[in-house]
Amino acid sequence: MAVTKLSNSGIKTGVLKYDSMLAGNAPFDPAATWLIQRVNGTGSSGVITFSNIPQTYQHLQIRFIAKNSTTTSVADHLYLQANGLTTSTYYSHFMYGSGTAAFAGNFMTQPQVTIRDAIYRSNATYPNMFGVGIIDIHDYTNTSKLKTVRAFTGRDGNGDGVVTLSSGVYPATSAITSLTLSSATGNFTTTTSFALYGFKG
Amino acid sequence: MANTYVLIASNTLSSSAASVTFSSIPSTYTDLVLRYSIRTDFAGLNIAQARVTFNGTTSGYSRTILNGDGAAASSGRATSQANFEPEEGSPSASNTANTFGTTEIYIPNYLVSANKAYGSFAVGENNTTTPVYLSARAALWQNTSAITSITLTANTGNFVSGCAFFLYGIKKN
Amino acid sequence: MIVLPDTSTEVAIATTTLSSAASTITFSSIPSTYTDLRIVLTGTSSSGSPFIRFNSDTGTNYSYTVLRGDGTSASSSRESTLDKIWLSFGAGPSAGNPDFFTVDVFSYAGSTNKTCLTTSSMNHNGTDEEVARNVGLWRSTSAITTITLSRNVGNFNTGTTATLYGIL
């Protein structure tokens, strides 16, 4: 068996030295956006719930693609409730393009934030067509703020459609620990998907 | 691989302040995203705005506006301005307590040696039947400097305690 | 052993910065590993209007509904059975003043028709400008593997940047 002598000078020979603990590496920037949970429609429920939402982010964002099982008429509103609050104390506002004109309006004293006309129904005229959207909630853990909801949604059916900007308020200062999204009618199809993301702050 | 969407800096006010500044913005990103919630202490309903300036410059800003006020949609513009205002009117002192407006501003190519195009979407809510504003804006800063700082100044009064500002960087590769 | 956290939800897939003017920017071989895609396009142009196509489909399989402000009035319009989805809806380019567009494509690798949300930010300090929010549809159940950004006339100028992001 060979014997190797380790000397002070021998160990130091060829060793790179750095003035920074990074040792020549780029600093690590932790990611600011994270997928918390994805929930798909089951075909047997018009409700999707995100529960036990971690309190470790600053903002929440929901991205969705949605269709429901109702076969008559065209589309439905998307409802959003927080922390199981169902009293008629939510307010919502919207601005939308119908394809022929621009409109604005509101939903007052409702049991949910109402995001207008965001879900396609399973009308045979609009096969395999969906409403989509991005919903943002800032500072969802802050217990000194009512929670403002901001949304950009739309649906197009090749001759039908609506594009909408919406706002709403969850009228409580409680930190949001659960969010419920529901269709005004019918059940979400199995091709419906809602994803909840957290933004670090 | 470096992460694409990164928090650069944040500032949550523990007391009222007239302005907030993000300075020494690193040049290691491609785009910037500002997300914030505001309310001001000036008497009035839905009058709060954040006046945004880059690099301390007070010229070269313009915007095209699409507003909804709960009853009607409208459009307008402002040219050759001293700052960019993303909001038509977020909550202020006469709004329902604890209501805040939220805004997102997306600034692509903030380092490019060319004029800067960017966009925003802002909403305010009041938790009552009074009208509030939604506003989408297209904006231009006619300045070829890289953006190294961003200042948000309350249009009237001060941003109240609890206003929170977050600057994110996005890398394209 | 140090275990680093997962990469972020939003990942840059590809980017192009034009070194010379071009009428088309293409993202091809798009991986199917994400849920949604986002395209960010900014730069100046010589003339015309930008549009987007998927999988090189030039058939009349596209449509859109738009909400728009032109600096004077808010309006909405729609077109159906088109061969493209427009990214701007009336405003034209302005020399020296860039425009900025985003496109979010939902469930791009799934077997549903493909719906996208687009934003248009075209401000030129007072002339020929718009802010728009649009929903577009590509009537195809194929997974998106190619995205083409083009102009009906003219070019994207040198320096135009287009970046494709995947969102988990």
PDB file of all heavy atoms in Angstrom, chain B residues 139-171:
ATOM      1  N   ALA B 139     -48.709  51.786 -22.579  1.00  0.00           N
ATOM      2  CA  ALA B 139     -47.868  52.915 -22.182  1.00  0.00           C
ATOM      3  C   ALA B 139     -46.570  52.935 -22.959  1.00  0.00           C
ATOM      4  O   ALA B 139     -46.103  51.916 -23.494  1.00  0.00           O
ATOM      5  CB  ALA B 139     -47.589  52.842 -20.681  1.00  0.00           C
ATOM      6  N   LEU B 140     -45.980  54.124 -22.989  1.00  0.00           N
ATOM      7  CA  LEU B 140     -44.722  54.334 -23.696  1.00  0.00           C
ATOM      8  C   LEU B 140     -43.858  55.276 -22.886  1.00  0.00           C
ATOM      9  O   LEU B 140     -44.352  56.286 -22.359  1.00  0.00           O
ATOM     10  CB  LEU B 140     -44.985  54.948 -25.076  1.00  0.00           C
ATOM     11  CG  LEU B 140     -43.772  55.310 -25.933  1.00  0.00           C
ATOM     12  CD1 LEU B 140     -43.051  54.065 -26.417  1.00  0.00           C
ATOM     13  CD2 LEU B 140     -44.210  56.176 -27.112  1.00  0.00           C
ATOM     14  N   TRP B 141     -42.600  54.953 -22.736  1.00  0.00           N
ATOM     15  CA  TRP B 141     -41.617  55.878 -22.184  1.00  0.00           C
ATOM     16  C   TRP B 141     -40.627  56.173 -23.293  1.00  0.00           C
ATOM     17  O   TRP B 141     -39.878  55.275 -23.722  1.00  0.00           O
ATOM     18  CB  TRP B 141     -40.924  55.274 -20.969  1.00  0.00           C
ATOM     19  CG  TRP B 141     -40.006  56.226 -20.255  1.00  0.00           C
ATOM     20  CD1 TRP B 141     -40.236  57.545 -19.988  1.00  0.00           C
ATOM     21  CD2 TRP B 141     -38.713  55.938 -19.716  1.00  0.00           C
ATOM     22  NE1 TRP B 141     -39.173  58.083 -19.303  1.00  0.00           N
ATOM     23  CE2 TRP B 141     -38.222  57.120 -19.129  1.00  0.00           C
ATOM     24  CE3 TRP B 141     -37.909  54.787 -19.667  1.00  0.00           C
ATOM     25  CZ2 TRP B 141     -36.980  57.199 -18.502  1.00  0.00           C
ATOM     26  CZ3 TRP B 141     -36.684  54.857 -19.031  1.00  0.00           C
ATOM     27  CH2 TRP B 141     -36.216  56.059 -18.464  1.00  0.00           C
ATOM     28  N   GLN B 142     -40.635  57.392 -23.761  1.00  0.00           N
ATOM     29  CA  GLN B 142     -39.755  57.755 -24.862  1.00  0.00           C
ATOM     30  C   GLN B 142     -38.403  58.153 -24.292  1.00  0.00           C
ATOM     31  O   GLN B 142     -38.082  59.344 -24.115  1.00  0.00           O
ATOM     32  CB  GLN B 142     -40.384  58.862 -25.710  1.00  0.00           C
ATOM     33  CG  GLN B 142     -41.575  58.343 -26.494  1.00  0.00           C
ATOM     34  CD  GLN B 142     -42.272  59.400 -27.328  1.00  0.00           C
ATOM     35  OE1 GLN B 142     -42.785  60.381 -26.784  1.00  0.00           O
ATOM     36  NE2 GLN B 142     -42.308  59.218 -28.633  1.00  0.00           N
ATOM     37  N   ASN B 143     -37.644  57.104 -23.987  1.00  0.00           N
ATOM     38  CA  ASN B 143     -36.320  57.299 -23.396  1.00  0.00           C
ATOM     39  C   ASN B 143     -35.540  56.022 -23.678  1.00  0.00           C
ATOM     40  O   ASN B 143     -36.058  54.907 -23.476  1.00  0.00           O
ATOM     41  CB  ASN B 143     -36.452  57.531 -21.891  1.00  0.00           C
ATOM     42  CG  ASN B 143     -35.152  57.948 -21.249  1.00  0.00           C
ATOM     43  OD1 ASN B 143     -34.148  57.255 -21.332  1.00  0.00           O
ATOM     44  ND2 ASN B 143     -35.165  59.095 -20.580  1.00  0.00           N
ATOM     45  N   THR B 144     -34.309  56.182 -24.154  1.00  0.00           N
ATOM     46  CA  THR B 144     -33.550  54.998 -24.559  1.00  0.00           C
ATOM     47  C   THR B 144     -32.648  54.446 -23.456  1.00  0.00           C
ATOM     48  O   THR B 144     -31.866  53.523 -23.698  1.00  0.00           O
ATOM     49  CB  THR B 144     -32.698  55.321 -25.792  1.00  0.00           C
ATOM     50  OG1 THR B 144     -31.803  56.394 -25.475  1.00  0.00           O
ATOM     51  CG2 THR B 144     -33.584  55.734 -26.980  1.00  0.00           C
ATOM     52  N   SER B 145     -32.754  54.991 -22.255  1.00  0.00           N
ATOM     53  CA  SER B 145     -31.919  54.504 -21.155  1.00  0.00           C
ATOM     54  C   SER B 145     -32.453  53.195 -20.594  1.00  0.00           C
ATOM     55  O   SER B 145     -33.672  52.968 -20.579  1.00  0.00           O
ATOM     56  CB  SER B 145     -31.880  55.535 -20.022  1.00  0.00           C
ATOM     57  OG  SER B 145     -31.366  56.751 -20.465  1.00  0.00           O
ATOM     58  N   ALA B 146     -31.558  52.360 -20.138  1.00  0.00           N
ATOM     59  CA  ALA B 146     -31.976  51.183 -19.387  1.00  0.00           C
ATOM     60  C   ALA B 146     -32.640  51.651 -18.093  1.00  0.00           C
ATOM     61  O   ALA B 146     -32.251  52.657 -17.509  1.00  0.00           O
ATOM     62  CB  ALA B 146     -30.768  50.312 -19.069  1.00  0.00           C
ATOM     63  N   ILE B 147     -33.635  50.923 -17.668  1.00  0.00           N
ATOM     64  CA  ILE B 147     -34.324  51.275 -16.424  1.00  0.00           C
ATOM     65  C   ILE B 147     -33.517  50.722 -15.250  1.00  0.00           C
ATOM     66  O   ILE B 147     -33.305  49.507 -15.140  1.00  0.00           O
ATOM     67  CB  ILE B 147     -35.760  50.729 -16.407  1.00  0.00           C
ATOM     68  CG1 ILE B 147     -36.592  51.444 -17.474  1.00  0.00           C
ATOM     69  CG2 ILE B 147     -36.388  50.927 -15.025  1.00  0.00           C
ATOM     70  CD1 ILE B 147     -38.008  50.896 -17.631  1.00  0.00           C
ATOM     71  N   THR B 148     -33.070  51.620 -14.398  1.00  0.00           N
ATOM     72  CA  THR B 148     -32.301  51.214 -13.225  1.00  0.00           C
ATOM     73  C   THR B 148     -33.025  51.506 -11.914  1.00  0.00           C
ATOM     74  O   THR B 148     -32.610  51.004 -10.857  1.00  0.00           O
ATOM     75  CB  THR B 148     -30.939  51.921 -13.210  1.00  0.00           C
ATOM     76  OG1 THR B 148     -31.160  53.339 -13.210  1.00  0.00           O
ATOM     77  CG2 THR B 148     -30.120  51.554 -14.444  1.00  0.00           C
ATOM     78  N   SER B 149     -34.061  52.339 -11.987  1.00  0.00           N
ATOM     79  CA  SER B 149     -34.856  52.584 -10.785  1.00  0.00           C
ATOM     80  C   SER B 149     -36.295  52.871 -11.184  1.00  0.00           C
ATOM     81  O   SER B 149     -36.561  53.351 -12.292  1.00  0.00           O
ATOM     82  CB  SER B 149     -34.291  53.743  -9.964  1.00  0.00           C
ATOM     83  OG  SER B 149     -34.487  54.968 -10.630  1.00  0.00           O
ATOM     84  N   ILE B 150     -37.202  52.554 -10.297  1.00  0.00           N
ATOM     85  CA  ILE B 150     -38.626  52.827 -10.476  1.00  0.00           C
ATOM     86  C   ILE B 150     -39.137  53.468  -9.199  1.00  0.00           C
ATOM     87  O   ILE B 150     -38.918  52.942  -8.104  1.00  0.00           O
ATOM     88  CB  ILE B 150     -39.426  51.539 -10.757  1.00  0.00           C
ATOM     89  CG1 ILE B 150     -38.910  50.841 -12.019  1.00  0.00           C
ATOM     90  CG2 ILE B 150     -40.914  51.856 -10.891  1.00  0.00           C
ATOM     91  CD1 ILE B 150     -39.559  49.502 -12.287  1.00  0.00           C
ATOM     92  N   THR B 151     -39.807  54.609  -9.353  1.00  0.00           N
ATOM     93  CA  THR B 151     -40.393  55.311  -8.214  1.00  0.00           C
ATOM     94  C   THR B 151     -41.898  55.395  -8.395  1.00  0.00           C
ATOM     95  O   THR B 151     -42.372  55.699  -9.480  1.00  0.00           O
ATOM     96  CB  THR B 151     -39.801  56.721  -8.067  1.00  0.00           C
ATOM     97  OG1 THR B 151     -38.396  56.602  -7.855  1.00  0.00           O
ATOM     98  CG2 THR B 151     -40.428  57.463  -6.902  1.00  0.00           C
ATOM     99  N   LEU B 152     -42.629  55.079  -7.350  1.00  0.00           N
ATOM    100  CA  LEU B 152     -44.080  55.222  -7.339  1.00  0.00           C
ATOM    101  C   LEU B 152     -44.421  56.279  -6.297  1.00  0.00           C
ATOM    102  O   LEU B 152     -44.076  56.124  -5.125  1.00  0.00           O
ATOM    103  CB  LEU B 152     -44.755  53.897  -6.988  1.00  0.00           C
ATOM    104  CG  LEU B 152     -44.429  52.728  -7.933  1.00  0.00           C
ATOM    105  CD1 LEU B 152     -43.353  51.835  -7.339  1.00  0.00           C
ATOM    106  CD2 LEU B 152     -45.670  51.921  -8.238  1.00  0.00           C
ATOM    107  N   THR B 153     -45.111  57.306  -6.728  1.00  0.00           N
ATOM    108  CA  THR B 153     -45.446  58.431  -5.862  1.00  0.00           C
ATOM    109  C   THR B 153     -46.948  58.587  -5.802  1.00  0.00           C
ATOM    110  O   THR B 153     -47.626  58.567  -6.837  1.00  0.00           O
ATOM    111  CB  THR B 153     -44.819  59.723  -6.399  1.00  0.00           C
ATOM    112  OG1 THR B 153     -43.408  59.542  -6.548  1.00  0.00           O
ATOM    113  CG2 THR B 153     -45.097  60.892  -5.472  1.00  0.00           C
ATOM    114  N   ALA B 154     -47.494  58.731  -4.614  1.00  0.00           N
ATOM    115  CA  ALA B 154     -48.931  58.942  -4.471  1.00  0.00           C
ATOM    116  C   ALA B 154     -49.322  60.254  -5.141  1.00  0.00           C
ATOM    117  O   ALA B 154     -48.650  61.288  -4.971  1.00  0.00           O
ATOM    118  CB  ALA B 154     -49.302  58.980  -2.994  1.00  0.00           C
ATOM    119  N   ASN B 155     -50.395  60.224  -5.909  1.00  0.00           N
ATOM    120  CA  ASN B 155     -50.798  61.427  -6.632  1.00  0.00           C
ATOM    121  C   ASN B 155     -51.241  62.531  -5.680  1.00  0.00           C
ATOM    122  O   ASN B 155     -50.987  63.711  -5.918  1.00  0.00           O
ATOM    123  CB  ASN B 155     -51.903  61.108  -7.642  1.00  0.00           C
ATOM    124  CG  ASN B 155     -53.150  60.523  -6.981  1.00  0.00           C
ATOM    125  OD1 ASN B 155     -53.058  59.848  -5.963  1.00  0.00           O
ATOM    126  ND2 ASN B 155     -54.307  60.786  -7.558  1.00  0.00           N
ATOM    127  N   THR B 156     -51.915  62.132  -4.608  1.00  0.00           N
ATOM    128  CA  THR B 156     -52.309  63.087  -3.566  1.00  0.00           C
ATOM    129  C   THR B 156     -52.149  62.397  -2.231  1.00  0.00           C
ATOM    130  O   THR B 156     -52.392  61.200  -2.114  1.00  0.00           O
ATOM    131  CB  THR B 156     -53.764  63.526  -3.716  1.00  0.00           C
ATOM    132  OG1 THR B 156     -54.597  62.370  -3.770  1.00  0.00           O
ATOM    133  CG2 THR B 156     -53.963  64.346  -4.976  1.00  0.00           C
ATOM    134  N   GLY B 157     -51.745  63.148  -1.224  1.00  0.00           N
ATOM    135  CA  GLY B 157     -51.568  62.537   0.085  1.00  0.00           C
ATOM    136  C   GLY B 157     -50.458  61.509   0.069  1.00  0.00           C
ATOM    137  O   GLY B 157     -49.487  61.635  -0.691  1.00  0.00           O
ATOM    138  N   ASN B 158     -50.605  60.505   0.895  1.00  0.00           N
ATOM    139  CA  ASN B 158     -49.591  59.466   1.035  1.00  0.00           C
ATOM    140  C   ASN B 158     -50.171  58.076   0.832  1.00  0.00           C
ATOM    141  O   ASN B 158     -51.368  57.858   1.064  1.00  0.00           O
ATOM    142  CB  ASN B 158     -48.991  59.513   2.448  1.00  0.00           C
ATOM    143  CG  ASN B 158     -48.283  60.811   2.730  1.00  0.00           C
ATOM    144  OD1 ASN B 158     -47.337  61.171   2.046  1.00  0.00           O
ATOM    145  ND2 ASN B 158     -48.756  61.537   3.742  1.00  0.00           N
ATOM    146  N   PHE B 159     -49.333  57.157   0.444  1.00  0.00           N
ATOM    147  CA  PHE B 159     -49.700  55.747   0.510  1.00  0.00           C
ATOM    148  C   PHE B 159     -49.823  55.385   1.985  1.00  0.00           C
ATOM    149  O   PHE B 159     -48.951  55.733   2.789  1.00  0.00           O
ATOM    150  CB  PHE B 159     -48.635  54.865  -0.132  1.00  0.00           C
ATOM    151  CG  PHE B 159     -48.436  55.082  -1.605  1.00  0.00           C
ATOM    152  CD1 PHE B 159     -47.179  55.376  -2.108  1.00  0.00           C
ATOM    153  CD2 PHE B 159     -49.494  54.967  -2.497  1.00  0.00           C
ATOM    154  CE1 PHE B 159     -46.976  55.562  -3.469  1.00  0.00           C
ATOM    155  CE2 PHE B 159     -49.309  55.155  -3.859  1.00  0.00           C
ATOM    156  CZ  PHE B 159     -48.047  55.454  -4.343  1.00  0.00           C
ATOM    157  N   VAL B 160     -50.863  54.661   2.330  1.00  0.00           N
ATOM    158  CA  VAL B 160     -51.062  54.341   3.749  1.00  0.00           C
ATOM    159  C   VAL B 160     -50.266  53.105   4.135  1.00  0.00           C
ATOM    160  O   VAL B 160     -49.799  52.346   3.272  1.00  0.00           O
ATOM    161  CB  VAL B 160     -52.557  54.104   4.056  1.00  0.00           C
ATOM    162  CG1 VAL B 160     -53.363  55.331   3.687  1.00  0.00           C
ATOM    163  CG2 VAL B 160     -53.074  52.862   3.331  1.00  0.00           C
ATOM    164  N   SER B 161     -50.129  52.916   5.433  1.00  0.00           N
ATOM    165  CA  SER B 161     -49.524  51.699   5.950  1.00  0.00           C
ATOM    166  C   SER B 161     -50.258  50.482   5.404  1.00  0.00           C
ATOM    167  O   SER B 161     -51.484  50.469   5.335  1.00  0.00           O
ATOM    168  CB  SER B 161     -49.609  51.709   7.482  1.00  0.00           C
ATOM    169  OG  SER B 161     -49.189  50.468   8.004  1.00  0.00           O
ATOM    170  N   GLY B 162     -49.498  49.494   4.998  1.00  0.00           N
ATOM    171  CA  GLY B 162     -50.102  48.294   4.420  1.00  0.00           C
ATOM    172  C   GLY B 162     -49.987  48.235   2.915  1.00  0.00           C
ATOM    173  O   GLY B 162     -50.116  47.144   2.321  1.00  0.00           O
ATOM    174  N   CYS B 163     -49.765  49.381   2.287  1.00  0.00           N
ATOM    175  CA  CYS B 163     -49.515  49.346   0.846  1.00  0.00           C
ATOM    176  C   CYS B 163     -48.278  48.473   0.604  1.00  0.00           C
ATOM    177  O   CYS B 163     -47.291  48.567   1.347  1.00  0.00           O
ATOM    178  CB  CYS B 163     -49.282  50.745   0.293  1.00  0.00           C
ATOM    179  SG  CYS B 163     -50.750  51.780   0.259  1.00  0.00           S
ATOM    180  N   ALA B 164     -48.343  47.646  -0.411  1.00  0.00           N
ATOM    181  CA  ALA B 164     -47.270  46.672  -0.604  1.00  0.00           C
ATOM    182  C   ALA B 164     -46.866  46.646  -2.069  1.00  0.00           C
ATOM    183  O   ALA B 164     -47.730  46.578  -2.949  1.00  0.00           O
ATOM    184  CB  ALA B 164     -47.728  45.290  -0.152  1.00  0.00           C
ATOM    185  N   PHE B 165     -45.572  46.684  -2.314  1.00  0.00           N
ATOM    186  CA  PHE B 165     -45.021  46.813  -3.653  1.00  0.00           C
ATOM    187  C   PHE B 165     -43.996  45.696  -3.885  1.00  0.00           C
ATOM    188  O   PHE B 165     -43.132  45.462  -3.035  1.00  0.00           O
ATOM    189  CB  PHE B 165     -44.332  48.174  -3.813  1.00  0.00           C
ATOM    190  CG  PHE B 165     -45.218  49.337  -3.481  1.00  0.00           C
ATOM    191  CD1 PHE B 165     -45.393  49.743  -2.155  1.00  0.00           C
ATOM    192  CD2 PHE B 165     -45.878  50.038  -4.476  1.00  0.00           C
ATOM    193  CE1 PHE B 165     -46.217  50.822  -1.838  1.00  0.00           C
ATOM    194  CE2 PHE B 165     -46.694  51.121  -4.168  1.00  0.00           C
ATOM    195  CZ  PHE B 165     -46.868  51.511  -2.854  1.00  0.00           C
ATOM    196  N   PHE B 166     -44.102  45.030  -5.030  1.00  0.00           N
ATOM    197  CA  PHE B 166     -43.233  43.890  -5.318  1.00  0.00           C
ATOM    198  C   PHE B 166     -42.691  44.013  -6.740  1.00  0.00           C
ATOM    199  O   PHE B 166     -43.458  44.201  -7.685  1.00  0.00           O
ATOM    200  CB  PHE B 166     -44.008  42.574  -5.158  1.00  0.00           C
ATOM    201  CG  PHE B 166     -44.587  42.427  -3.786  1.00  0.00           C
ATOM    202  CD1 PHE B 166     -45.835  42.950  -3.481  1.00  0.00           C
ATOM    203  CD2 PHE B 166     -43.871  41.790  -2.787  1.00  0.00           C
ATOM    204  CE1 PHE B 166     -46.363  42.855  -2.204  1.00  0.00           C
ATOM    205  CE2 PHE B 166     -44.392  41.675  -1.503  1.00  0.00           C
ATOM    206  CZ  PHE B 166     -45.631  42.218  -1.210  1.00  0.00           C
ATOM    207  N   LEU B 167     -41.386  43.924  -6.865  1.00  0.00           N
ATOM    208  CA  LEU B 167     -40.744  44.010  -8.174  1.00  0.00           C
ATOM    209  C   LEU B 167     -40.163  42.634  -8.508  1.00  0.00           C
ATOM    210  O   LEU B 167     -39.362  42.082  -7.740  1.00  0.00           O
ATOM    211  CB  LEU B 167     -39.629  45.058  -8.168  1.00  0.00           C
ATOM    212  CG  LEU B 167     -38.866  45.208  -9.490  1.00  0.00           C
ATOM    213  CD1 LEU B 167     -39.803  45.745 -10.576  1.00  0.00           C
ATOM    214  CD2 LEU B 167     -37.663  46.131  -9.314  1.00  0.00           C
ATOM    215  N   TYR B 168     -40.575  42.096  -9.652  1.00  0.00           N
ATOM    216  CA  TYR B 168     -40.099  40.791 -10.107  1.00  0.00           C
ATOM    217  C   TYR B 168     -39.289  40.953 -11.389  1.00  0.00           C
ATOM    218  O   TYR B 168     -39.548  41.848 -12.192  1.00  0.00           O
ATOM    219  CB  TYR B 168     -41.279  39.853 -10.388  1.00  0.00           C
ATOM    220  CG  TYR B 168     -42.143  39.559  -9.175  1.00  0.00           C
ATOM    221  CD1 TYR B 168     -43.241  40.356  -8.868  1.00  0.00           C
ATOM    222  CD2 TYR B 168     -41.864  38.479  -8.333  1.00  0.00           C
ATOM    223  CE1 TYR B 168     -44.037  40.101  -7.758  1.00  0.00           C
ATOM    224  CE2 TYR B 168     -42.651  38.217  -7.215  1.00  0.00           C
ATOM    225  CZ  TYR B 168     -43.730  39.028  -6.935  1.00  0.00           C
ATOM    226  OH  TYR B 168     -44.515  38.776  -5.831  1.00  0.00           O
ATOM    227  N   GLY B 169     -38.310  40.080 -11.556  1.00  0.00           N
ATOM    228  CA  GLY B 169     -37.542  40.042 -12.783  1.00  0.00           C
ATOM    229  C   GLY B 169     -37.842  38.756 -13.533  1.00  0.00           C
ATOM    230  O   GLY B 169     -38.038  37.703 -12.922  1.00  0.00           O
ATOM    231  N   ILE B 170     -37.889  38.854 -14.843  1.00  0.00           N
ATOM    232  CA  ILE B 170     -38.126  37.685 -15.687  1.00  0.00           C
ATOM    233  C   ILE B 170     -36.954  37.545 -16.646  1.00  0.00           C
ATOM    234  O   ILE B 170     -36.560  38.516 -17.297  1.00  0.00           O
ATOM    235  CB  ILE B 170     -39.445  37.825 -16.482  1.00  0.00           C
ATOM    236  CG1 ILE B 170     -40.635  37.907 -15.520  1.00  0.00           C
ATOM    237  CG2 ILE B 170     -39.616  36.658 -17.451  1.00  0.00           C
ATOM    238  CD1 ILE B 170     -41.970  38.073 -16.207  1.00  0.00           C
ATOM    239  N   LYS B 171     -36.399  36.354 -16.718  1.00  0.00           N
ATOM    240  CA  LYS B 171     -35.269  36.093 -17.595  1.00  0.00           C
ATOM    241  C   LYS B 171     -35.756  35.343 -18.828  1.00  0.00           C
ATOM    242  O   LYS B 171     -36.507  34.379 -18.708  1.00  0.00           O
ATOM    243  CB  LYS B 171     -34.218  35.243 -16.880  1.00  0.00           C
ATOM    244  CG  LYS B 171     -33.556  35.927 -15.710  1.00  0.00           C
ATOM    245  CD  LYS B 171     -32.465  35.063 -15.095  1.00  0.00           C
ATOM    246  CE  LYS B 171     -31.813  35.799 -13.936  1.00  0.00           C
ATOM    247  NZ  LYS B 171     -30.719  35.017 -13.337  1.00  0.00           N
TER     248      LYS B 171
END
